[in-house]
Amino acid sequence: MSPAHRFDRGHTDDLISFLAASPSPYHAVANTAARLEKAGFRQIAETDAWDAGGGTSDAVQAMGEGGKFVLRGGALIAWYVPEGATAATPFRIIGAHTDSPNLRVKPLPDTGAHGWRQVAVEIYGGTLLNTWLDRDLGLSGRVTLRDGSHHLVNVDRPLLRVPQLAIHLDRGVNDSLKLDRQRHMTPVWGLGEVREGDLIRFVADEADLAAEEIAGWDLMVHSVEPPAYLGRDRELLAAPRLDNLLSVHAGAAALAAAAGDHLAYIPVLAAFDHEENGSQSDTGADGPLLGTVLERSVFARGGSYEDKARAFAGTVCLSSDTGHAVHPNYAEHHDPGHHPVPNGGPILKTNVNQRYATDGGGRAVFAAACERAGVPWQHFVSNNSMPCGTTIGPITAARHGISTVDIGIACLSMHSARELCGADDPHLLAAALTAFLEG
């Protein structure tokens, strides 16, 4: 590791604060929006007119130069229009996602048996189920009132627990742990009789709301153990939701740092929801949100369909998501020639079957950004004997016709309730992303 990049404590400390304050996608976008507003960005409503032909003077002025962002559910699209940008100016996009695998509350949450009060949950994404056992869990997300307004909820204290069966009652558990998603993953939260409406009444009290006004909810559990430095020299970071709030945080920092009038591109941060279950939603990468926002921004600057096509043709997206560091106990599961390590800098992900969108041209763009930032970087390729995971990268490339490169940082325990990465890598990634946006 170069001495110039030895442990940027300020960036990693800030990431720890961001992770702790963002237990759900809705909290993550709210916190990202607050950071962007502090950097001078302004929220734009999708329901406003963005062009001079039909908007208010405020709406029209907002679509000129400077930073703006759109919020929708657990997704955020932010961009900065530099002085002199034309309708055909290309974009430089950082793509990431706000969701993480976890346990989510069902529509009828109150359940229980044998004197235990429990909360009915559904498994979200590719969760490592055993990592949620015997862990103190809080409750977070949002509730929707009858008037359509949304309110964030965060019960960040030990409230629930998924208790594992004692070894005395399952002598073979260390040889083969099998968890039934329906029967074994229901958390307990108390004793006594099950009463319909109890959980939502509790949530309403916690949020200082009237329970009868709550018409819907998007709630999930989270580990209340805070992020922490780990290791003899504190060179590692153990935290929940590194996949992929680490990239959201780095992308927001890069966008704020790059924003200025010297740019040849329009820098963009696209933080999507629902990546962990396929991205097929109105806030996912497979939905129209990004394309619609970028297209409207072109038209708001007086552009035509031709200008939009030209802008997209010159656009590049870095799809930033966590990847796999070589595991010291399971090295045979990795490609023998590609062993990314923590604190070795960001990784470039490649898969010729298009599970990642990287090609040779994309490699050149990424390598140039890392070189300008002065940060090291690494390669990741899956073992041929195993299926390769995927990201929003191929979706973005196919849906919008945008050149896309898959990158990230190397970590262990991906999709666990608590993941592990190098403490240097977050700021190395942010430096590379900033250099990419600055072009």
Side-chain angles (χ1 to χ4, degrees):
M1 177 64 59
S2 166
H5 292 296
R6 187 60 200 168
F7 214 103
D8 184 336
R9 178 61 61 84
H11 181 93
T12 309
D13 284 350
D14 190 63
L15 170 62
I16 287 174
S17 298
F18 179 76
L19 292 169
S22 304
S24 77
Y26 313 108
H27 290 83
V29 297
N31 291 324
T32 303
R35 288 162 178 260
L36 291 174
E37 285 182 332
K38 189 175 181 180
F41 284 67
R42 177 179 175 181
Q43 183 175 355
I44 305 298
E46 290 186 85
T47 53
D48 282 346
W50 289 10
D51 65 293
T56 65
S57 59
D58 285 345
V60 175
Q61 182 179 4
M63 292 314 301
E65 297 166 1
K68 34 265 195 179
F69 62 89
V70 165
L71 294 180
R72 185 194 291 185
L76 174 146
I77 310 294
W79 67 104
Y80 185 91
V81 180
E83 182 180 358
T86 71
T89 298
F91 301 93
R92 283 266 169 128
I93 304 170
I94 297 170
H97 66 88
T98 61
D99 60 320
S100 299
N102 57 15
L103 313 178
R104 303 209 171 186
V105 176
K106 288 183 176 180
L108 300 176
D110 300 293
T111 188
H114 307 290
W116 292 93
R117 297 167 67 191
Q118 296 175 274
V119 174
V121 295
E122 191 171 1
I123 311 301
Y124 178 84
T127 310
L128 273 174
L129 296 178
N130 65 295
T131 68
W132 291 92
L133 302 178
D134 297 332
R135 188 180 293 273
D136 295 340
L137 304 173
L139 189 69
S140 58
R142 68 177 183 179
V143 295
T144 304
L145 303 189
R146 295 184 184 280
D147 62 6
S149 61
H150 302 295
H151 296 263
L152 295 179
V153 174
N154 184 10
V155 185
D156 194 32
R157 66 177 186 272
L159 178 68
L160 308 104
R161 186 179 179 93
V162 183
Q164 187 169 191
L165 186 63
I167 192 170
H168 312 80
L169 304 177
D170 184 6
R171 293 292 183 178
V173 65
N174 287 327
D175 299 319
S176 179
L177 174 63
K178 292 185 178 181
L179 295 171
D180 184 286
R181 290 168 171 254
Q182 182 64 34
R183 295 185 296 120
H184 299 154
M185 297 305 298
T186 306
V188 300
W189 76 308
L191 299 170
E193 181 183 352
V194 176
R195 295 185 295 270
E196 185 178 352
D198 258 7
L199 181 69
I200 298 307
R201 282 190 290 270
F202 168 80
V203 168
D205 287 343
E206 289 288 319
D208 198 22
L209 298 168
E212 61 270 17
E213 289 301 310
I214 296 178
W217 52 86
D218 302 282
L219 299 171
M220 59 206 72
V221 306
H222 67 271
S223 171
V224 299
E225 185 180 3
Y229 293 110
L230 184 144
R232 186 194 69 178
D233 298 321
R234 291 160 50 90
E235 71 268 47
L236 299 170
L237 174 63
R241 301 177 294 280
L242 291 174
D243 178 12
N244 185 33
L245 293 189
L246 186 153
S247 293
V248 175
H249 175 265
L255 180 60
D261 292 333
H262 60 287
L263 299 171
Y265 303 92
I266 296 174
V268 179
L269 170 63
F272 299 103
D273 200 354
H274 301 129
E275 189 273 348
E276 297 293 357
N277 62 8
S279 296
Q280 293 185 323
S281 71
D282 69 317
T283 52
D286 204 19
L289 181 59
L290 176 61
T292 298
V293 168
L294 297 185
E295 187 176 73
R296 289 183 71 184
S297 75
V298 169
F299 295 160
R301 295 194 302 277
S304 63
Y305 177 84
E306 180 72 10
D307 292 315
K308 176 249 185 180
R310 292 171 60 200
F312 277 38
T315 292
V316 181
C317 172
L318 289 190
S319 166
S320 182
D321 205 344
T322 52
H324 302 292
V326 60
H327 198 301
N329 300 336
Y330 300 92
E332 69 276 9
H333 289 256
H334 299 266
D335 182 86
H338 299 80
H339 282 178
V341 294
N343 294 332
I347 57 174
L348 178 68
K349 303 178 182 180
T350 305
N351 179 265
V352 295
N353 294 303
Q354 291 300 296
R355 301 292 286 173
Y356 303 132
T358 305
D359 62 10
R363 171 179 172 162
V365 170
F366 176 66
C370 290
E371 182 177 350
R372 285 194 300 273
V375 303
W377 59 281
Q378 310 175 81
H379 284 284
F380 174 80
V381 178
S382 283
N383 187 309
N384 280 324
S385 300
M386 300 177 184
C388 179
T390 191
T391 69
I392 64 168
I395 294 171
T396 302
R399 182 168 185 85
H400 306 294
I402 288 173
S403 176
T404 304
V405 190
D406 271 296
I407 67 162
I409 64 116
C411 74
L412 293 183
S413 305
M414 189 188 297
H415 287 197
S416 169
R418 194 168 179 85
E419 299 161 324
L420 185 70
C421 75
D424 284 334
D425 283 328
H427 85 88
L428 295 178
L429 174 64
L433 294 179
T434 302
F436 164 73
L437 293 182
E438 291 177 341

